[in-house]
Amino acid sequence: IALNSLANEFDIVFTGDYLYNTVENEGNFRNILINRSEMGEHDLTAELEQLAFYGAHSLTVGNGGRVLLSGDDNTTSSSTDRPGGLALAVMSQDEHVLALGDVDFLSAPYSMSLDNSQFVARIADFLVASESRRFVIQDFPFFYQPNVELVYVGSPDLGPDAFDEIIQLQD
């Protein structure tokens, strides 16, 4: 799964399965219901009673991360056909990254089902939180590739100090 090249940096893995529940669902075995008992304690899930995911995949998170939403004991992975213990949403250890095993619930008409609209609003608040980490220039190149080329644009001043700035950026 291509997304794992980024997610693995945060100790999160997206699984190439789909989840289903033939016992309790929202009209279709692939429409997973997430009850209060399957929600981790967090501001994103506070006071929510029930959510529905409409095409969920399972996730795993490494040590220090947390499972935010999980399937019940009847929720099964297509890759193992064994129920239980499946994460549908996780947070990284520093709680700066939220990974969701489904995105269908974010748009209409699915966003209006059960408590989905409240959850979507809380995710939006999480994404624009003023306490967000500030990125510095050293962060960005490594999101894309290990080798970065610095290119001057326009009419750079190539005086005696020009290479000092380049060396400082490379460091």
Side-chain angles (χ1 to χ4, degrees):
I1 297 175
L3 185 56
N4 281 332
S5 61
L6 175 62
N8 291 342
E9 294 297 318
F10 302 99
D11 215 8
I12 296 170
V13 176
F14 286 81
T15 309
D17 62 356
Y18 67 86
L19 303 182
Y20 64 94
N21 187 326
T22 57
V23 177
E24 182 182 10
N25 55 61
E26 192 189 50
N28 182 308
F29 69 101
R30 291 203 48 197
N31 298 346
I32 305 298
L33 292 174
I34 304 157
N35 297 309
R36 177 78 229 147
S37 58
E38 286 90 37
M39 296 181 197
E41 293 299 320
H42 194 274
D43 290 343
L44 289 172
T45 59
E47 300 177 15
L48 298 178
E49 292 301 318
Q50 194 173 48
L51 300 170
F53 276 19
Y54 298 90
H57 303 275
S58 64
L59 305 159
T60 58
V61 63
N63 292 337
R66 75 186 320 183
V67 174
L68 194 60
L69 302 174
S70 58
D72 66 15
D73 290 339
N74 297 312
T75 300
T76 304
S77 168
S78 65
S79 66
T80 63
D81 288 328
R82 283 186 262 161
L86 300 166
L88 287 87
V90 298
M91 295 205 71
S92 64
Q93 181 176 6
D94 62 5
E95 294 196 5
H96 287 244
V97 176
L98 170 65
L100 301 164
D102 179 36
V103 294
D104 293 329
F105 78 96
L106 295 170
S107 60
Y110 309 114
S111 60
M112 297 298 129
S113 178
L114 306 169
D115 291 334
N116 285 7
S117 62
Q118 292 176 51
F119 189 49
V120 170
R122 291 176 186 179
I123 291 171
D125 290 342
F126 168 78
L127 293 173
V128 297
S130 61
E131 304 169 10
S132 296
R133 176 181 183 272
R134 285 191 65 192
F135 289 97
V136 294
I137 196 163
Q138 291 91 343
D139 293 326
F140 287 104
F142 300 104
F143 285 122
Y144 304 108
Q145 60 184 354
N147 298 321
V148 176
E149 295 180 24
L150 300 174
V151 179
Y152 270 107
V153 294
S155 300
D157 177 16
L158 296 178
D161 297 330
F163 290 105
D164 294 339
E165 293 175 14
I166 292 171
I167 291 168
Q168 184 180 4
L169 280 172
Q170 285 179 330
D171 289 343

